[in-house]
Structures are given as structure tokens and as C-alpha cells.
Amino acid sequence: MSAWAVTASDGLAEAVRLDERIEVLRDAGSTLHAEDVLAGRHDAAFAPAGAGPLRCADGTACWVRFSLSRTPDAPARWWLRLRALRPGEVALYAPRIPGGEPVAQEGRQFPLNWRFVSTDLFFNVDLPDSEAHYHYLRLADTPHADGFSLWQPLGFERQQRQLATYLNASMGVAFALMMVNLVFWRWLRDTLFLHFAFVMFAAVLLHAWQTVPALAIDEQMGDLNLRGALQCLLQAATALFVARLFDYRVHAPWAARTAKAYAAFNLLAGAVALAGHQAAIEPWSAMLELLSLATAIGLAGWLLFVKQQRQYAWPATLMMALTFSSMLGRLQWLGWMPLGGDVTLGVSWAAARLFYMLLLAIIVADRTRRAELELRHARRRALDDALRVERELEARIAQRTRELGTSNAQLAAEVVRRREAEAGLQVALESERRALGQQRQFVALVSHEFRTPLAVIDAAAQSIGLPGVEASPRAVKIRRAVHRLAMLVDNCLAEERLHADRLKLRIEPLDLRTQVEDLLQPLGPAERARLRLDLQAGAAPVRGDPALLDIALHNLVQNAIKYSPPEREVRIALHLRGGEACIDVEDQGGGIRAQDQPRIFERFFRGTTSAKASGTGLGLFLCDEIARRHGGAVELLRSDARGSVFRFRIPLQTQP
Ligand code: ADP
């Protein structure tokens, strides 16, 4: 093949493509020696390479040669570039110098030209004069090599600068996106932003891995172990981000767990790479990444088409496209898919990276927009709800106010009605009181008027009998009737007196003993015979109204006589104790029924068994009233089958 003469304008704006101009010798078993090849002993075996990449692996080494000359104005030193996938041994041998030793030059890598899939290898090619020379390359353990091209150093430098600009811009974008998303995260408290910031953080580090060595250490290639570790970090961040972007936790919790496990694996793999085993771990990491990318695509499709989660349409489509391209890269790296057409020094690749990040940012922005819309909807809904509740509340308050108004009016009417009723009642009460007063007055008047004729009748009945001769039964009967009538009159009068507001007791000092003894006087002989007086010796001085005390004691004695059989004795005892004079009246009657006992002192109360006996129900009431007016009391000490005992007590008169 004829030599290719490079000119001064070649390899400046773009590379001189050599792919068509190389010849290849396939050394199966890798047995040929460099001296022999360089000495031209195998020249006949070289053949044009033909289309497609070179495959120099599995024990077969490839010898590649090309002939170059230059025009006089062209520079003497050039850069040869080839693109290799997982390159093994690649060496360039300088043009054959007769008699000289073959000198092998190892390929150089530049950080800026580092590729995710393939690797650019650079060699210095010297064209000392305008003569044509053969240059030899030996490739072994390199499954894929192509993109043989030549650059002038000036063109190469320009290329590098351009690349650096793109990469720096790309890093700047990544950094800006990271910061913006961190701010969004702080503002909106949505962890999606934090996840994305994390992805961008890993991207910034990866960029830095490429650009920082290029700036600082004069094109020295960065540590590939570190690069592997950073790649793992990016994969971990991306997995977590995708899981968060598509809300795996909500739709497919197992996927969320898997994404976390995958991220953890990547962190572990990163640590292993850092420890110097990047080359060993990368195939595994690449295969796992392929699997995870396929899963992500599947899940996105499932969410979109099966679960009809339309809100993921945008992110899912973009994610699918991006993920798909990553998958292609991984497939190529693994050698499971042929590499695409030659990529030049990589400006388009760097631009693609920039584009990739911008797309990601769009995805996040879209999610944010949707979230914002949802939030706005939710707010509007909440506002509508609040308004509705408020309206309901107002309606209810209005209703309540109306009801309250009605019930207030009813209440007012009721108050008026009640007041009227009360006034009516007052009037009725007043007239009732007046009627009662008149009635009392009348009873008092009648009772009073009864007294004189009764006294006359009693005196007449008494005078019927002769002194010393027992009174005739008729006279006794008359006297008893008169007596009963007188007592009734007395009770009525006493009741009247006690209830008249103007009552004043006619208090005077008296001896209760005499008072008790006088009780016998009005009684007939039969009644008197039943009484047994048991009076403590000496006087019982008290202060009291003699007429009222007489009525009180009389009532007690009369009850005892009335409610016990005629043959039974009634005992009246007087004794002094604790500053009081006590008069006990004890009979041997049938007693008072238990249910009646609490009521016997009530006015007009009559025992349920006393219908046979005559009475008004006033006696005990008066007795109690009189005792209390005198500062004493009357009480039922005992009442049972043996009879009843009443005690009447009033304070003894203390010495002045
Ligand atoms: P009355 O005019 O009926 O005797 P009282 O006020 O004197 O009215 O007595 C009230 C009731 O107490 C009597 O109806 C009677 O049932 C009962 N009572 C009063 N004293 C006795 C008594 N010594 N023995 C039995 N019952 C009595």
C-alpha cells in the first residue's frame, strides 16, 4: 500500500482517518518476534484490514502497519490515536531503523479522552523527514480496536481545550443543579430533590475526576480505581433517585427494597474498587447495572401502561431513553454488542453528557411541577371544603339564632303567662286567707259563745246530784258530754290563739304539780278512778300560760283514757330531771301503729284505727305546739302492744 503523505493542514480541525490505510498481520498463537516483523520478514503476510474493528484476543496478536510520509511544511511529530475496548497489550514500534533494536512505545491515555465504554490510546508518531516509513503496532488481548487516526499536536490541543470546556461546562451544570436541588429540598421538603442533588454530586465528582488531573498534573490519567468507585457512587445515587422518582415505595415496595440493596451493593463495590480491585469488580458491576437498568425500564413501562400512572409519562419516557442508552453502553463495554461508529475525540460525547443531565433536570422539574399542581389542587380543595364548612356553619348558626329567637319569644310569653297566673294566684290566696281569717274568727266567736251555756249546763248537771250521794248516771252522762264539748271548744280556741299572729302567751309562774292535780277536777268518777298519779315530792316551778298548759296536758290524759280499754289504768308521773319538769302519761292501750307514729303530731291527723273514738286530730298537734312555745317538747317515748307513753316536758323556772 502506498504511503500517505500528511500535509500541514491535516489533523488540525479533524483527524486523519487511517482505518482504510492500515494493513494487518494476524499472528495466531502470538509467535512472531518484533525484530522479524520490523525487519520486513513477514511483509508478505500483511493484508489490508478491511472494514470493521480489529479483534486481537484469544491468543491471536495483531500486527498493524501503515506507511506515512509528510510534506516539508508539515510538522514532524504527530499523535496517533486508536480506540480500544478493554485494551490489553498495545505497543507502537517506531519505523524500522536498519540495524537498530525495536523500541516499543506504550499507549497513553488522557483523562479528558477517557470514555465510559472504550478507551482512547495515544502514541507519538515521529515523521523525521519527508520519506515514507512504516509504523508498526502490536495488539494483543484487545477484543476491539478501531478509530486509527492522526492528529497534529496543535489540533489535538485545540480538541483537548474544547473538550475541557465542555466537560467543565457539564460539571458546572451538574454543580449548579446540585445546589439548586439542595435549595429546593430545603424549601419544599421533598426528598426527590435531595436524591437528585445526590446524583448530581456523584456526577460532579466524576467530572472532577476527569478535569482536575487534566488541569493539575499535566494530562496525567486519574486513578482508574477511584474512577470506578465514583462510578459506583453514581450508580447507587441514580438507583435511589429513580426509586424515589417513580415512588417505588408506593407502587412496588419490593422494587424500592431492591433499589436500596442495589445501592448498597454499589457502595460496597466502590469500596472494593478503591482498594485497588476495580478491574476485577467492574464486569460484575456492569452486569448488575444492566439488570437494574432493564428492571427500571420494565418498571417504568409497567407503571405507565399497566397501572396507568399517567403522571409518570414524561419521566418514564425520558428515563427509558436515557436508561436505554446506558444499557447500550454497558452491552458494548461487555463486548456483547459491537461498538457504534467512530466517536471522534469526544466533543459530541461530552455534549451528550450535558444533554443527559439537562434531561434529568427536566424530569425532576416536571415532577415538581406536577407536585406543585397537585398541591395547588389540594389547597383549592381544602379551601373549598373550608368555605363549604363555613357556609354550613353560618347556615346552622342562622337556624339556631332563629330557633333561639322563637324559643325566647315563647319564653317571654310563658313568663308573662306565669306572671299573670301568679298574680291570679296571689289574689286567690289573699281571698282564701281572708276567708280563712273570717272562718277562724267565726269559729272563735262560736266557740266562745259555747262556753257560757256549757258552763251553765255543767253546773246544772252537777247540781242534780245530792251532796254525799253518788251522782245519777244521767247526770254523769250529761257532764261527760259537756266535758267533751268543752274540750273541743278549748281546743278550737287554743288552736285559734296559737295561730293568730298576735298571740301572746299569758306567762306566769306556776307550780306544774298543782296543774297536774287539777287535771282530775273536770273528770267523772269513773275516769278519775282509772288515773294513778305518781308525783315527785315538792313543787315543780315553771313559767307558763296556765290555760294552754292545761289544754296540752288534758289532751294527753284524754287520749290515754280514750285509746285504752275502760278497765285499764292510766298513769301520770311528774318528775324533774336536767332542769326540766317531765310529765309522763302512760296507758295500757293497743299502741299506735308504726306507720302512724311519725305523723301523730300533724294537724288534723287521725290514726287509722281511731275512727271509733271521737276526735279532731288537733289534740297532739296543740300539745306539741304549746310545749314548743314554752321551750319544751312532747314526745312519744314508747308505743306498742303494752300501751303508749307520752312525755311532756318544759324547763323548770330558774331562781332569779
Ligand atoms: P284525736 O282527736 O284523734 O285524738 P290527737 O291529735 O289527739 O287526735 O291524736 C292523734 C292520733 O294519735 C289519734 O287519732 C290516735 O290515733 C293517736 N293517739 C294519740 N294518743 C294515743 C294513745 N294514747 N294511744 C293510742 N293512740 C293514740
Side-chain angles (χ1 to χ4, degrees), residues 518-534:
D518 287 350
L519 281 175
L520 302 184
Q521 265 187 20
L523 301 180
E527 288 167 340
R528 213 177 286 171
R530 288 177 63 190
L531 290 187
R532 194 159 71 76
L533 292 189
D534 184 2

Side-chain angles (χ1 to χ4, degrees), residues 559-560 562-563 587 591-592 600 605-607 610 615-621 644 646:
N559 277 350
K562 195 159 61 171
Y563 296 114
D587 64 54
I592 307 167
I600 50 175
F605 177 79
R606 301 218 63 219
S610 29
T616 56
L618 266 176
L620 284 180
F621 167 73
S644 312
F646 283 89

Side-chain angles (χ1 to χ4, degrees), residues 139-267:
L139 294 91
D141 290 332
T142 304
H144 177 114
D146 61 1
F148 295 87
S149 51
L150 273 183
W151 285 92
Q152 265 190 54
L154 194 65
F156 177 72
E157 257 168 49
R158 267 192 222 147
Q159 246 305 330
Q160 291 291 297
R161 268 200 301 279
Q162 214 179 356
L163 205 54
T165 311
Y166 273 102
L167 281 175
N168 282 331
S170 177
M171 181 161 80
V173 168
F175 187 76
L177 286 175
M178 178 181 89
M179 294 313 283
V180 166
N181 278 280
L182 278 178
V183 171
F184 278 176
W185 169 61
R186 292 299 298 164
W187 270 353
L188 304 176
R189 309 238 158 245
D190 186 342
T191 49
L192 178 66
F193 297 110
L194 185 65
H195 282 84
F196 188 52
F198 186 27
V199 173
M200 287 300 107
F201 173 66
V204 167
L205 290 184
L206 270 175
H207 277 94
W209 178 84
Q210 279 195 296
T211 55
V212 170
L215 294 173
I217 337 171
D218 185 26
E219 303 290 339
Q220 279 297 309
M221 191 62 185
D223 178 14
L224 279 173
N225 286 314
L226 176 62
R227 152 78 218 183
L230 292 178
Q231 179 68 33
C232 286
L233 184 69
L234 179 68
Q235 278 168 25
T238 310
L240 294 178
F241 165 66
V242 170
R244 176 68 188 79
L245 181 68
F246 292 105
D247 300 313
Y248 282 180
R249 220 166 36 162
V250 178
H251 303 295
W254 65 267
R257 282 195 294 277
T258 312
K260 266 190 202 147
Y262 175 68
F265 166 80
N266 265 298
L267 292 181

Side-chain angles (χ1 to χ4, degrees), residues 289-448:
E289 192 192 357
L290 252 180
L291 199 68
S292 91
L293 293 172
T295 315
I297 291 187
L299 271 172
W302 175 72
L303 274 177
L304 205 56
F305 301 114
V306 181
K307 292 210 83 184
Q308 303 281 319
Q309 298 288 321
R310 294 274 175 249
Q311 75 271 26
Y312 297 127
W314 250 102
T317 315
L318 290 177
M319 272 304 300
M320 278 191 204
L322 294 178
T323 310
F324 200 63
S325 68
S326 297
M327 276 180 78
L328 286 184
R330 273 314 191 182
L331 282 170
Q332 289 173 340
W333 186 87
L334 284 165
W336 296 350
M337 228 185 94
L339 277 183
D342 182 27
V343 185
T344 59
L345 272 183
V347 168
S348 55
W349 170 76
R353 254 159 94 151
L354 201 70
F355 179 63
Y356 173 83
M357 282 189 306
L358 287 175
L359 276 188
L360 275 183
I362 290 175
I363 291 174
V364 173
D366 178 67
R367 260 294 302 266
T368 314
R369 186 181 63 88
R370 283 182 178 282
E372 181 64 28
L373 274 177
E374 242 165 54
L375 198 72
R376 217 177 291 164
H377 279 147
R379 273 206 199 121
R380 195 169 307 152
R381 269 201 304 276
L383 203 71
D384 287 351
D385 282 356
L387 278 174
R388 191 170 43 73
V389 169
E390 198 179 307
R391 274 199 296 276
E392 279 175 13
L393 210 67
E394 272 171 7
R396 213 175 296 160
I397 287 173
Q399 159 105 4
R400 268 303 173 77
T401 313
R402 274 199 301 280
E403 283 173 9
L404 221 62
T406 320
S407 60
N408 268 351
Q410 284 171 353
L411 216 64
E414 179 71 13
V415 167
V416 170
R417 206 171 55 75
R418 291 221 172 157
R419 252 188 222 141
E420 283 169 6
E422 200 180 296
L425 220 62
Q426 285 287 352
V427 172
L429 217 63
E430 192 48 43
S431 68
E432 170 92 8
R433 202 178 292 143
R434 220 176 299 128
L436 211 67
Q438 286 167 353
Q439 191 183 337
R440 267 216 182 101
Q441 259 177 358
F442 174 73
V443 171
L445 190 79
V446 169
S447 307
H448 194 76

Side-chain angles (χ1 to χ4, degrees), residues 491 555-556 559-564 585 587 589-593 596 599-602 604-611 613-622 639 643-646:
N491 277 347
N555 273 315
L556 285 181
N559 277 350
I561 292 171
K562 195 159 61 171
Y563 296 114
S564 60
V585 180
D587 64 54
I592 307 167
R593 291 179 65 177
D596 288 347
R599 301 193 54 200
I600 50 175
F601 294 102
E602 287 176 17
F604 301 126
F605 177 79
R606 301 218 63 219
T608 40
T609 52
S610 29
S614 65
T616 56
L618 266 176
L620 284 180
F621 167 73
L622 284 173
S639 188
S644 312
V645 185
F646 283 89

